[in-house]
Amino acid sequence: MQLVVSQLLPAYFDESVTQVSEIWGKEWAVEKNDLIKIVAPSGSGKSSLINFLYGLRTDYTGMISYSGKDLSHFSPEQLAGYRKDHISIVFQDMRLFADETAALNLEIKRQLNPYHPPEKIKEMAERLGIDSRLSFKCSTCSYGEQQRIAIIRSLLQPFDILLLDEPFSHLDNNNSEKAMQLILEETRARNASIIYADLERSEIFPYTRIYHL
Amino acid sequence: MALSFKPIRPLLETGTSAASKWFSYIGLCLGVLLLLCSIQMYINIRQMVVEGNMRKNGFDYVPIAKNITTEALKNPEKTLFTQPEVDELKTQPFIQDAAPLIANQFRIQLSAGSLLSFETDFFIESLKEDFIDTVPPTFKWQEGQETIPIIFSSDFFEIYTVFSAGQKLPKIPRDAAVGFSFIVNCYGNGRQQQFIGKIVALSDRVNSVLVPESFLSWANQTFDQQKPLGASRVFIKTKDANDPHLLSFLDSKHYVINKEQTILGRNKMLLQGIVTGMGIFGLIVVVLALMLFSFYLQLIIARSKDNLKLLLTLGYSPSWMSKKVSNRFLPVYIFVVLVALLLTQAIQWLFYHYIMQDKPQLSPFVHWAVGATALALILLSLFTNYRMVKNQLYKLN
């Protein structure tokens, strides 16, 4: 697998941003075991980039290709396969089923392509300190708890690339570190890469490459 | 392990009213019932009309004659069919074949020999074998053969049974009629010859005394020697004796056909019109009910839009979800169509038993075509739902 990004620029951005950005309008690729940090101030298109890479939006110029195939030409079925087997994500806005329990939210993702057995959910929840919240509806959980549920959900499937969009914005340092530890363990176990996008430079993520959006 | 729909199911149960659900179920059931009943009634009418005629190999064989008017009586040849007229009949698209009934052109006397003092002038006719309902292998004659095989009309036999009582003639049971012999004397052209007539079969279709064509053509030449006369009756072979095109053609030519055999046909058109109207109405109700179902599904999708969108975002396949969402209604469809099918069966049984008084042409059970329609309806609704859900999900993606 290889994710190659070429001359990418949101359709609604001015060409001039390519002069200051290390991402927009440039050539770059994600290799195995890469830990890429993207520092992106507000309004620089951080979430747009994450959505483009995940195949949620195609309103851009340039090209994103995965294993040599243009992502914007993926059929709905190919996109489903891409998200099920090759790429995982922690959204900035979590995107959980608010009226369902945390356990059901996690099981829905786990059963799609079971990388871990069902017991692993409990084990991960214990590590992140939310095991007591598993039987509660997500709408009753705090943002911090919801963020940890979203992190565990992203680790229940096989992946080559893990996209993290401000994954610790609602967590304190202690919980962020615990979560980062778990993420790194799971990523290493898969020989996968991480693209970590955040507003500012933080030392919690041991990146191998850093880009400024 | 196969992907389970169980954890997904609650994501779609978002506020659908039970009343609207049941309303659409009942609507669909009524529509399907109307449609199935119409098909069954259509088949019933066809069976009653078709079985009412003498059919052989799926064809009707009916005799036609010319309308005899007082003017025609002055000119008897005009009551007979000429060869060009028979040929014209054969060329009509709704007539598969036509054959004239050839009559004897000489005098024939029939007697029971010395056993009974019974003697009468009589007639014989011949007809192409294909048009006769019962042709035994013994129905053959060669020159020099003394015995003439005869196919006797069942109706004539009934008349004899009535007539024999008054004339003190022996009663003959129907079973014993075949094999019954009598003496046939032929006169003409200064000659006389005696034969033995032997009944080899009874015919329900042809009201005549039929002999093999080979005998009659030999006898007409031998005892008459005149030019053959035309035939007063012609049998036609047609796919449907009640075909309106056939009936209007015969009317235009002033040919007469057995009214009893076509009265059903004239009523059939009216009845089939009513039943077709009923069927169309049923079809409209089915379409409306299916639309109602479709709207109901669209409503579920619209209400669960966010959940469905998130499932697709997580990597669930739109085809898999379409299949699962549309299959959720499979038990409902099967149940609704089965109820309609059972009601149709009950109506057919009541119709057969109480209205048609167990008429043998009909069956107390629904025709296979009705069952096939029911199955087709289930498959059609599943397919249309699947397509609709898939389109909606693709739009969400």
Side-chain angles (χ1 to χ4, degrees):
Chain A
M1 80 77 208
Q2 198 191 26
L3 188 77
V4 178
V5 181
S6 170
Q7 304 292 325
L8 183 69
L9 183 69
Y12 43 87
F13 269 23
D14 193 90
E15 191 95 21
S16 60
V17 297
T18 57
Q19 288 165 8
V20 289
S21 172
E22 292 172 347
I23 294 287
W24 301 132
K26 304 287 186 304
E27 306 283 331
W28 55 284
V30 183
E31 306 289 348
K32 233 178 195 180
N33 299 312
D34 268 350
L35 300 176
I36 299 173
K37 166 98 188 215
I38 293 171
V39 183
S42 299
S44 58
K46 171 177 57 65
S47 291
S48 296
L49 173 67
I50 295 291
N51 283 335
F52 294 159
L53 296 177
Y54 194 63
L56 276 178
R57 283 167 55 181
T58 53
D59 48 345
Y60 55 78
T61 55
M63 191 168 88
I64 303 168
S65 68
Y66 182 79
S67 292
K69 287 178 202 150
D70 186 347
L71 202 61
S72 64
H73 292 149
F74 273 29
S75 69
E77 292 303 324
Q78 283 175 315
L79 267 181
Y82 175 61
R83 294 167 188 166
K84 180 169 75 78
D85 306 326
H86 301 293
I87 193 156
S88 193
I89 190 166
V90 178
F91 289 104
Q92 185 186 6
D93 56 358
M94 276 81 83
R95 300 202 193 175
L96 300 169
F97 298 106
D99 293 329
E100 306 305 330
T101 63
L104 187 71
N105 266 277
L106 296 172
E107 179 56 22
I108 285 172
K109 183 64 179 174
R110 192 203 67 81
Q111 68 142 9
L112 186 58
N113 188 1
Y115 181 80
H116 286 304
E119 309 81 71
K120 189 75 178 177
I121 291 176
K122 181 118 174 91
E123 189 193 312
M124 287 181 174
E126 273 169 9
R127 276 188 68 176
L128 300 193
I130 51 161
D131 51 316
S132 61
R133 304 300 292 166
L134 284 178
S135 56
F136 287 82
K137 278 188 179 180
C138 288
S139 56
T140 66
C141 295
S142 71
Y143 282 129
E145 286 164 344
Q146 287 186 37
Q147 204 152 42
R148 280 173 280 175
I149 295 165
I151 289 168
I152 295 173
R153 184 178 67 183
S154 72
L155 303 176
L156 291 170
Q157 68 165 89
F159 57 80
D160 301 318
I161 299 165
L162 176 63
L163 303 172
L164 302 172
D165 188 3
E166 293 187 51
F168 311 130
S169 56
H170 300 289
L171 298 182
D172 56 42
N173 283 345
N174 185 31
N175 277 315
S176 302
E177 268 175 34
K178 279 186 195 167
M180 190 74 249
Q181 209 51 45
L182 182 65
I183 290 169
L184 289 171
E185 278 173 31
E186 291 291 329
T187 310
R188 279 188 206 115
R190 292 166 174 84
N191 274 326
S193 312
I194 296 176
I195 297 178
Y196 177 104
D198 211 340
L199 292 170
E200 54 201 20
R201 185 187 284 268
S202 87
E203 298 312 315
I204 197 166
F205 179 58
Y207 55 84
T208 54
R209 276 193 279 165
I210 186 163
Y211 293 106
H212 289 86
L213 198 64
Chain B
M1 201 179 75
L3 191 54
S4 163
F5 188 63
K6 207 175 153 194
I8 315 292
R9 197 185 300 265
L11 303 175
L12 297 167
E13 304 283 353
T14 44
T16 39
S17 109
S20 72
K21 213 169 9 184
W22 278 103
F23 186 66
S24 52
Y25 294 169
I26 293 167
L28 185 65
C29 190
L30 281 175
V32 175
L33 178 66
L34 259 173
L35 185 70
L36 298 186
C37 277
S38 309
I39 294 170
Q40 183 58 49
M41 284 301 150
Y42 195 87
I43 291 165
N44 284 348
I45 292 168
R46 272 202 73 81
Q47 279 175 343
M48 279 191 287
V49 173
V50 167
E51 301 301 324
N53 292 323
M54 295 299 163
R55 283 181 85 83
K56 187 181 175 186
N57 308 328
F59 291 102
D60 290 333
Y61 293 85
V62 283
I64 58 167
K66 283 190 171 180
N67 196 9
I68 301 169
T69 56
T70 20
E71 200 181 324
L73 283 174
K74 290 175 205 157
N75 204 349
E77 293 86 51
K78 285 197 172 171
T79 63
L80 302 176
F81 285 94
T82 61
Q83 192 54 44
E85 283 170 334
V86 175
D87 292 341
E88 187 197 11
L89 282 171
K90 285 182 188 174
T91 59
Q92 299 308 312
F94 33 79
I95 296 174
Q96 272 63 48
D97 200 1
L101 264 162
I102 310 291
N104 57 302
Q105 291 169 218
F106 52 92
R107 188 180 163 215
I108 289 181
Q109 216 169 35
L110 191 145
S111 72
S114 55
L115 287 171
L116 287 167
S117 56
F118 170 70
E119 202 171 56
T120 179
D121 272 11
F122 213 65
F123 73 97
I124 53 173
E125 286 180 305
S126 72
L127 178 66
K128 206 169 151 185
E129 279 190 14
D130 182 44
F131 286 72
I132 308 172
D133 46 345
T134 43
V135 185
T138 48
F139 192 64
K140 296 269 182 295
W141 186 88
Q142 282 179 328
E143 205 174 328
Q145 191 177 317
E146 263 193 34
T147 308
I148 316 163
I150 289 174
I151 295 176
F152 205 72
S153 157
S154 296
D155 287 350
F156 288 4
F157 185 73
E158 294 298 324
I159 294 167
Y160 170 79
T161 310
V162 176
F163 162 80
S164 61
Q167 297 296 316
K168 297 197 172 54
L169 289 167
K171 281 208 167 188
I172 303 166
R174 195 183 160 97
D175 300 347
V178 175
F180 191 77
S181 304
F182 40 83
I183 292 164
V184 177
N185 279 305
C186 302
Y187 305 93
N189 201 20
R191 291 181 64 170
Q192 185 209 340
Q193 194 166 344
Q194 193 175 72
F195 296 93
I196 296 166
K198 189 178 178 186
I199 298 177
V200 291
L202 293 176
S203 169
D204 288 331
R205 183 190 296 161
V206 189
N207 277 341
S208 184
V209 180
L210 296 172
V211 294
E213 283 178 293
S214 53
F215 173 75
L216 198 58
S217 73
W218 171 83
N220 274 344
Q221 276 177 15
T222 308
F223 299 107
D224 186 50
Q225 284 188 331
Q226 282 182 23
K227 204 176 140 218
L229 294 170
S232 61
R233 283 189 298 167
V234 172
F235 256 85
I236 55 169
K237 176 181 173 182
T238 172
K239 284 227 166 86
D240 183 6
N242 293 295
D243 182 350
H245 297 106
L246 170 69
L247 297 178
S248 67
F249 169 77
L250 295 178
D251 286 346
S252 73
K253 290 279 168 186
H254 303 291
Y255 294 159
V256 192
I257 190 165
N258 187 336
K259 280 267 192 287
E260 255 183 51
Q261 280 179 331
T262 53
I263 196 154
L264 265 171
R266 294 175 204 275
N267 288 336
K268 185 179 95 167
M269 284 189 275
L270 177 72
L271 282 173
Q272 281 187 341
I274 294 168
V275 172
T276 307
M278 223 167 91
I280 291 170
F281 184 66
L283 205 62
I284 291 170
V285 177
V286 168
V287 169
L288 283 176
L290 283 177
M291 276 170 70
L292 205 66
F293 256 98
S294 162
F295 290 145
Y296 172 60
L297 258 177
Q298 284 182 39
L299 190 72
I300 290 180
I301 290 168
R303 281 180 173 168
S304 322
K305 193 178 154 192
D306 292 342
N307 286 346
L308 288 168
K309 202 168 177 175
L310 184 50
L311 284 170
L312 294 172
T313 303
L314 292 178
Y316 275 84
S317 139
S319 309
W320 181 84
M321 293 219 302
S322 311
K323 219 178 284 173
K324 291 292 172 183
V325 172
S326 51
N327 279 2
R328 270 191 68 194
F329 293 92
L330 182 62
V332 174
Y333 284 132
I334 292 177
F335 174 74
V336 164
V337 173
L338 267 184
V339 168
L341 193 61
L342 285 175
L343 285 172
T344 310
Q345 171 58 61
I347 291 167
Q348 173 67 3
W349 188 84
L350 292 170
F351 178 74
Y352 170 78
H353 199 63
Y354 291 107
I355 299 176
M356 298 316 289
Q357 309 285 330
D358 298 352
K359 214 174 168 76
Q361 295 99 309
L362 295 180
S363 162
F365 303 107
V366 290
H367 194 261
W368 63 266
V370 176
T373 308
L375 184 70
L377 273 177
I378 294 175
L379 295 176
L380 179 78
S381 50
L382 271 184
F383 177 71
T384 51
N385 279 350
Y386 173 74
R387 286 288 301 268
M388 192 274 292
V389 175
K390 197 171 170 178
N391 283 341
Q392 297 273 322
L393 290 179
Y394 270 39
K395 275 185 208 159
L396 285 181
N397 210 351

